[in-house]
Amino acid sequence: MNVSRRLTLGLVAAAALCATTAQAQDKVLNLYSARHYQSDEGMYEAFTRTTGIKINRVDADDAGILARLRAEGAASPADVVMLVDAARLAVADSQGLFQPIKSAKLDAAIPANLRAAATPDGVTWTGFSTRARVIVYDPTRVKAADVATYEQLADPKLKGLVCTRSGSHPYNLSLFATVVERLGEQKGEAWLKGVVDNMARAPKGGDTDQIKAVASGECGVALTNSYYFARLLKSNKPEDRAVTEKVRVVFPNQSTSGTHVNIAGAAVAKHAKNRDNAIQFMEFLASPFAQDYFANGNNEFAAAKGVKVDNAALKAMGGDDFKPETVPLASVAKNLTKVQQMLDRVGFK
Ligand code: FE
């Protein structure tokens, strides 16, 4: 073989390699995720099997993902960003880290109140699973009738009994933002003040700590996301299950506005290089198959219309058929700063 022929063959091979690389790039999705459950793996594999799109995942906590997206800017390889809680999605959105998309499939599958506000350009974030913010109480100290609503947490009847995690944690911020949306600013702030006045102790710990504090008698009433209670119910530690036997669960506001639900959700990243794949992945997440994986993996409820997950723990705690709040979670974005200022004013740590 002479030199020029060898060179030509070399160039052809290089060109072929380039073409393969370009094709391979087209079949890729870069996912930045703050959700990491073993059960999600099967869901991702199914997506790759049916679409041929390989998922590269970057796992970090919510704050880490936001910091990374900001640092990477326009060079970010992120296509889809997955975060937990509407408050965090709203913050990322306000920092310009997402882009709006239009998808008839998502419009049809996911209720509008579980998504960002629609604009002429489309919608940024979309919820793919829901969790209820429920009340747990000690039945030896508190009557069920006195904790039927969030509003009652501010009733002087519950003086010295109420426990929560920090008011500025996203789970509480989102709940408080929808309370303010429902009651208005004046009544909303008065409610927050009433809750502070009823506290058994200064806010501390996570949701599971609040459930345990009710079981131990330190608190009489507390707020928790539904999946933390379901986890204790399913635990193989007898002491965890013993905790659930000492407390009762209420899905609040059943005869009024419905129980506050929050979401785990996703959005297409602002600088997504594989935008079509990203939209395809979001649509896949809304399918009944993926909904079951996504929700059950963390003992959550499905977000898609007409999809019910089969979860014994959620059923056991009365979560099979509760009325959810329909206040748009987009109002969380709108009220977030206001709520933070109210918390400062009423001394809700
Ligand atoms: Fe959580």
Side-chain angles (χ1 to χ4, degrees):
M1 200 187 288
N2 64 34
V3 172
S4 83
R5 178 151 163 75
R6 214 183 292 164
L7 193 63
T8 313
L9 277 178
L11 285 174
V12 170
L17 189 68
C18 280
T20 321
T21 312
Q23 246 170 12
Q25 274 171 3
D26 289 340
K27 286 289 189 184
V28 160
L29 175 86
N30 295 314
L31 173 65
Y32 282 21
S33 175
R35 250 180 80 99
H36 7 85
Y37 299 112
Q38 200 65 46
S39 56
D40 286 354
E41 298 297 330
M43 177 180 81
Y44 297 140
E45 279 163 24
F47 176 73
T48 301
R49 236 184 357 257
T50 51
T51 62
I53 299 168
K54 187 177 172 286
I55 298 176
N56 298 319
R57 219 169 69 234
V58 171
D59 286 326
D61 63 9
D62 300 80
I65 286 175
L66 264 57
R68 186 166 174 153
L69 287 169
R70 282 193 303 266
E72 290 171 341
S76 176
D79 294 310
V80 171
V81 182
M82 209 177 255
L83 298 174
V84 172
D85 197 281
R88 292 191 178 115
L89 287 157
V91 166
D93 202 9
S94 72
Q95 294 177 353
L97 301 175
F98 299 155
Q99 63 171 291
I101 58 166
K102 286 181 179 171
S103 161
K105 278 187 189 164
L106 288 179
D107 292 348
I110 308 291
N113 66 303
L114 302 179
R115 306 182 74 192
T119 69
D121 295 326
V123 176
T124 52
W125 49 266
T126 297
F128 289 109
S129 62
T130 65
R131 61 275 297 280
R133 197 129 181 87
V134 298
I135 291 174
V136 288
Y137 68 97
D138 175 351
T140 68
R141 298 169 77 189
V142 175
K143 281 188 261 160
D146 291 336
V147 285
T149 66
Y150 297 112
E151 284 85 338
Q152 285 172 294
L153 294 178
D155 190 311
K157 263 190 193 170
L158 298 180
K159 186 129 196 118
L161 291 171
V162 177
C163 286
T164 73
R165 75 193 304 163
S166 165
S168 58
H169 187 277
Y171 299 165
N172 278 338
L173 286 177
S174 293
L175 167 66
F176 300 164
T178 60
V179 169
V180 167
E181 185 69 15
R182 286 193 296 111
L183 304 182
E185 286 180 43
Q186 230 172 10
K187 283 186 182 165
E189 183 162 341
W191 176 75
L192 285 171
K193 172 84 169 62
V195 174
V196 171
D197 290 344
N198 282 344
M199 281 183 185
R201 62 178 187 190
K204 66 171 181 181
D207 283 2
T208 303
D209 298 315
Q210 314 309 317
I211 305 172
K212 288 181 175 172
V214 172
S216 75
E218 191 182 355
C219 313
V221 186
L223 283 165
T224 178
N225 278 356
S226 44
Y227 57 86
Y228 291 112
F229 194 87
R231 266 183 214 166
L232 291 175
L233 273 176
K234 279 185 165 179
S235 172
N236 48 26
K237 291 185 196 154
E239 60 268 34
D240 285 346
R241 292 196 304 277
V243 163
T244 65
E245 280 157 24
K246 290 200 178 114
V247 307
R248 300 281 179 276
V249 178
V250 177
F251 283 75
N253 295 43
Q254 286 304 286
S255 54
T256 56
S257 53
T259 299
H260 172 71
V261 290
N262 211 308
I263 51 170
V268 176
K270 170 83 177 179
H271 302 288
K273 312 292 184 287
N274 304 293
R275 191 173 187 275
D276 292 347
N277 296 353
I279 294 171
Q280 208 178 328
F281 179 70
M282 300 265 288
E283 290 172 343
F284 167 79
L285 288 179
S287 68
F289 170 84
Q291 282 285 292
D292 195 58
Y293 262 101
F294 199 83
N296 258 329
N298 185 32
N299 298 301
E300 288 177 83
F301 307 101
K305 291 172 198 167
V307 180
K308 270 215 162 155
V309 297
D310 189 15
N311 185 307
L314 291 177
K315 267 182 210 158
M317 57 188 278
D320 205 28
D321 204 20
F322 72 96
K323 175 180 154 185
E325 185 178 72
T326 53
V327 176
L329 284 179
S331 68
V332 170
K334 195 182 84 184
N335 293 335
L336 212 49
T337 309
K338 251 183 264 173
V339 167
Q340 277 159 331
Q341 290 163 348
M342 287 179 190
L343 292 174
D344 286 342
R345 282 196 295 266
V346 304
F348 201 140
K349 300 275 185 262

